[in-house]
């Protein structure tokens, strides 16, 4: 069961990373314009 | 006189950068994003332009002083997009904040539920294999470490609402939810500390996660409809022409103040209540009083916001609604109707009021029962809490919101935008529909009544010629045009009509005399005529209010649902009769003032009827507020729309039928879902009372029942496809195109 010593922190760290990424994407406004993002990816002339 | 447009109220300034939000019409495809943003970013001074395709809003930032807001709108106009300055309502901003918070809570509870479930599955498999007590305790402590902070954060929406309800000495669904979550966590903590076998951290967090899913979806749907409603309001916003000294400035009507002097041209809507200073004209007050005959006004006459100036240019002074005016009367009645309206108790709250006492009594009886049967205090308490956990109304709390989300989506597709949360339930309960006539059963704008009798090529030329005139009658004729290109080189003769050379000969549109017609048959009140001549052809177009195209079909459909129809109009009885007989409505009254309309509704209510009022005029507003449920066309006056539970879009009357059908179906499914939740409890509670509700059983039962009610809710859309199929086009015309 010594394997738990590093498996458990690793699982928690991975979970927290996922949560952190989600909260970051929320703050960065990634969910503000869901339909627009789907269309913007199609146009290739807005690469600046 | 050169006129400037003053949009400064819409522009926000921050550190030398001006910011403006615009609602944009006509966005339909990916290309529009690039076109609009590309154009604006090329303009000198523009720092950033970002189009939100989801809610069709454009945010522009530019360096202060280098550009005017009106320049941006003009630039967009040039490439074919109509943009309307937009100021988000405070309610909408607050809702956006609330939504972000809910999604954060959802994220936290999702993370917690997934991680704890991972640990719980290990513990459950450990029961049948060789897990030691130390490992199990370790996993339980780990679960507690995740669950407690997560629940403290993600449970806030429920805890806060529960506290508010208790403070108001009421019960809502959040009270049993909060109680269930808190007792589950508390008991699990005690159990973990005493090295017990079962802990319910997973149940508590999963419950929060499921409930937050439902609540977030509910909120997202409401935000979507509110965004569309906000855009529509920006599209409709009136502008006024105000005298600033000797200059004429175009300003948003919302910024007008008392004593402002305004110019009202023919074809303009009167932007505020006031008194005519000079000029004579006829005004069409159908949106104010329902009366279709125009009223002649001269200096000194009182005019109301919402009336359309018909023939002459007027100058007016803005006044507050003085005592004794119609608006004053309407506002007084409105206040009375709103205060008299008892607060409607939603189905969910009624269910909670029955549910909570029963469940809590059951838990108490379980405790007493086990105690009397000789169990230890610990076992009795654990079993009683297990009852609370397993009955924690996961399915019950999802039963109604799930249906509401799907139903408001179906209504949205049918062109009905819901204003108030409990509107769907109230729509389902109505048994009588009272219609206003003008603008509700009839189209809000008059139409050319004899269009079918006129050769189509002639009508097309007349319509294109009409495009270059501002006269309201010409605007009606212009609506018949297939193309949107006005005739070049047209000349408007004030008070007579418009003429232009078409194909080498002169075409004229205007008064019969202007077009060389000397004898005109007499026309009824409320009808108008406009003449057209070209190449020796002379025609007389008759303009009047016409019924909405599908009004008769809709009336038949509504009657088939067992609803009784009535018409209460502010217009003359002679004008109401033909409409009533065409629709086969025997119960009708004309010439009613707002107080009489309210009295009629109150009389119906006294008979025990539940009335749906459909109306658009300012005179209908008090009646809308007094009725059990209310609906307005999108063309309704602002004051009226604010009272309506829902607004419908487009020309057809079918959304009224759809609203009732979808609402009834939705209520049926809500009740079915409540029964499903009751059946679930009937099975789960005995198991818990007997002490078999292990965390594994709780997890399976909760998710199973939640998924079941959600799937059941999805059926609202499924059966309603046929009616909804017609609608996307109309909806697209205001949202997408």
């Amino acid at each position: 069961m010594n394997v738990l010593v590093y498996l458990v922190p690793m699982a928690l760290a991975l979970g927290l990373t996922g949560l952190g990424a989600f909260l970051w994407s929320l703050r960065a406004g990634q969910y503000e314009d869901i339909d627009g993002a789907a269309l913007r990816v199609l146009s290739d002339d807005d690469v600046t | 006189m050169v006129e400037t447009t003053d949009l400064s109220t819409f522009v926000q300034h921050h550190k030398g950068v001006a910011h403006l939000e615009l609602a944009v019409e006509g966005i339909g495809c990916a290309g529009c994003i690039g076109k609009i943003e590309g154009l604006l970013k090329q303009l000198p001074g523009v720092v950033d332009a970002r189009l939100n395709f989801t809610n069709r809003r454009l945010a522009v930032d530019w360096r202060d002083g280098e550009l005017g807001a009106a320049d941006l709108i003009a630039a967009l106009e040039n490439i074919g997009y109509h943009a309307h300055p937009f100021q988000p309502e405070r309610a909408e901003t607050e809702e956006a904040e609330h939504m972000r918070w809910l999604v954060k809570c959802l994220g936290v509870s999702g993370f917690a539920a997934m991680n704890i479930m991972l640990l719980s599955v290990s513990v459950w498999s450990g029961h049948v294999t060789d897990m030691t007590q130390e490992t199990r305790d370790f996993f339980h402590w780990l679960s507690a470490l995740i669950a407690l902070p997560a629940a403290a954060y993600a449970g806030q929406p429920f805890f806060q609402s529960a506290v508010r309800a208790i403070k108001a000495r009421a019960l809502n669904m959040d009270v049993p939810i909060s109680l269930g979550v808190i007792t589950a966590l508390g008991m699990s903590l005690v159990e973990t500390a005493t090295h017990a076998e079962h802990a319910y951290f997973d149940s508590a967090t999963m419950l929060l996660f499921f409930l937050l899913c439902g609540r977030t979806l509910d909120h997202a749907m409401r935000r979507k409809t509110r965004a569309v409603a906000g855009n529509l309001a920006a599209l409709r916003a009136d502008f006024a022409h105000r005298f600033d000294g000797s200059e004429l400035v175009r300003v948003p009507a919302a910024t007008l103040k008392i004593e402002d002097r305004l110019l009202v041209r023919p074809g303009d809507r009167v932007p505020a209540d006031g008194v005519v200073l000079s000029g004579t004209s006829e005004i069409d007050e159908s949106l104010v009083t329902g009366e279709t005959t125009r009223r002649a006004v001269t200096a000194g006459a009182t005019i109301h916001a919402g009336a359309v100036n018909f023939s002459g240019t007027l100058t007016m002074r803005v006044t507050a609604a003085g005592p004794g005016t119609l608006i004053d009367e309407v506002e007084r009645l409105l206040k009375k109707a709103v205060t008299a309206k008892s607060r409607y108790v939603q189905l969910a709250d009624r269910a909670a009021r029955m549910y909570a006492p029963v469940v809590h009594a059951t838990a108490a009886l379980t405790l007493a029962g086990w105690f009397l049967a000789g169990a230890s205090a610990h076992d009795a308490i654990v079993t009683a809490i297990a009852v609370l956990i397993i009955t924690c109304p996961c399915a019950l709390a999802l039963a109604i919101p799930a249906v509401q989300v799907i139903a408001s989506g179906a209504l949205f597709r049918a062109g009905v935008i819901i204003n108030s949360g409990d509107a769907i339930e109230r729509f389902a309960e109505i048994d009588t529909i009272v219609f206003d006539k003008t603008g509700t059963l009839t189209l809000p704008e008059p139409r050319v009544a004899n269009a079918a009798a006129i050769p189509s090529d002639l009508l097309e030329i007349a319509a294109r010629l009409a495009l270059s005139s501002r006269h309201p009658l010409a605007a009606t004729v212009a609506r018949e045009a297939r193309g949107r290109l006005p005739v070049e080189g047209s000349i408007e003769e004030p008070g007579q009509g418009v003429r232009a050379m078409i194909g080498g000969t002169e075409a004229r549109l205007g008064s019969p005399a202007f077009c060389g017609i000397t004898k005109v048959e007499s026309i009824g009140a409320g009808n108008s005529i406009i003449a057209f001549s070209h190449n020796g052809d002379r025609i007389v177009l008759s303009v009047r209010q016409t019924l909405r195209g599908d009004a008769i079909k809709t009336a038949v459909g509504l009657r088939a649902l067992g609803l009784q129809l009535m018409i209460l109009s502010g217009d003359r009885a002679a004008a109401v009769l033909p409409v009533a007989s065409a629709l086969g409505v025997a119960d009708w009254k004309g010439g009613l003032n707002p107080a009489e309309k309210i009295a009629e509704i109150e009389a119906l209510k006294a008979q025990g009827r539940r009335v749906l009022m459909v109306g658009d005029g300012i005179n209908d507003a008090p009646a809308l507020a007094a009725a059990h449920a209310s609906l307005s066309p999108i063309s309704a006056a602002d004051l009226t729309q604010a009272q309506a539970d829902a607004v419908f879009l487009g020309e057809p009357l079918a959304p009224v039928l759809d609203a009732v059908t979808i609402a009834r179906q939705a209520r049926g499914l809500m009740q079915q879902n409540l029964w499903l939740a009751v059946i679930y409890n009937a099975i789960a509670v005995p198991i818990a009372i007997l002490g078999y509700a292990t965390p594994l059983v709780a997890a399976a039962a909760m998710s199973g029942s939640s998924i079941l009610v959600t799937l059941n809710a999805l059926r609202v859309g499924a059966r309603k496809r046929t009616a909804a199929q017609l609608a996307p086009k109309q909806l697209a015309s205001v949202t997408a195109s």
Side-chain angles (χ1 to χ4, degrees), chain B residues 189-372:
Chain B
L189 209 56
V190 174
E191 292 288 276
T192 306
T194 55
H195 314 290
E197 200 178 339
H198 297 306
Y200 294 87
F201 295 114
D202 49 2
S203 305
T205 46
M206 199 170 63
L207 181 79
L208 285 178
F209 178 65
F210 276 136
L211 291 174
L212 279 166
C213 281
R215 210 153 282 203
T216 312
L217 285 177
D218 193 28
H219 214 77
M221 190 67 227
R222 222 173 295 165
R223 255 192 87 193
K224 191 172 159 192
T225 54
R226 198 180 281 272
V228 172
N231 285 2
L232 288 170
L235 262 51
R236 292 162 22 94
D238 281 326
F239 277 86
H241 307 280
R242 185 177 69 195
F243 291 103
D244 283 1
S246 61
E247 253 181 286
L248 198 58
V249 183
R250 193 165 161 268
V251 295
T255 61
L256 291 176
K257 291 190 191 68
I258 290 173
E259 294 301 319
D260 277 349
R261 286 195 312 128
L262 312 174
L263 183 77
V264 185
R265 298 200 180 102
D268 283 352
R269 213 171 261 288
V270 176
D273 298 335
V275 176
V276 176
L277 292 175
S278 66
T280 53
S281 179
E282 282 189 317
I283 57 169
D284 172 2
E285 294 186 307
S286 60
L287 191 61
V288 184
T289 58
E291 173 68 63
T292 45
T293 315
R294 291 187 289 275
R295 178 164 73 101
V297 290
T298 53
T302 307
I303 51 178
H304 295 301
V308 176
N309 183 16
F310 223 75
S311 41
T313 303
L314 299 171
T315 55
M316 64 174 284
R317 182 168 57 87
V318 180
T319 56
T325 61
L326 178 92
I327 304 290
D328 181 52
E329 170 80 355
V330 164
E331 279 176 356
R332 195 178 56 78
L333 287 170
L334 203 52
K335 217 177 263 173
K336 220 168 100 190
V338 171
T339 44
K341 196 170 193 172
S342 58
R343 238 186 68 77
Y344 180 77
V345 183
Q346 296 186 29
L347 197 54
D349 288 341
R350 268 182 281 163
R353 276 176 203 183
M354 284 192 288
Y355 175 85
V358 170
V359 164
H360 296 159
T362 314
L365 284 177
T366 310
L367 179 71
W370 277 94
F371 205 64
L372 290 178

Side-chain angles (χ1 to χ4, degrees), chain A residues 30-44:
Chain A
Q30 307 248 346
Y31 302 98
E32 299 291 310
D33 182 14
I34 296 173
D35 297 349
L39 293 172
R40 274 173 206 276
V41 74
L42 298 175
S43 67
D44 48 8

Side-chain angles (χ1 to χ4, degrees), chain B residues 521-541:
Chain B
E521 292 163 42
S522 68
I523 48 159
N527 282 11
S528 308
I529 51 166
I530 182 165
F532 173 71
S533 69
H534 180 233
N535 238 354
D537 290 319
R538 289 192 171 83
I539 51 171
V540 175
L541 304 158

Side-chain angles (χ1 to χ4, degrees), chain B residues 491-503:
Chain B
I491 300 154
E492 184 145 19
E493 305 276 358
Q496 297 189 66
V498 58
R499 61 187 169 84
M501 299 301 285
I502 297 175

Side-chain angles (χ1 to χ4, degrees), chain B residues 627-638:
Chain B
H628 187 63
S630 51
L631 195 60
S632 273
I634 190 67
S635 54
D638 290 338

Side-chain angles (χ1 to χ4, degrees), chain B residues 451-460 539:
Chain B
I454 296 168
S456 63
D457 51 334
L458 219 53
L459 186 64
E460 180 68 17
I539 51 171

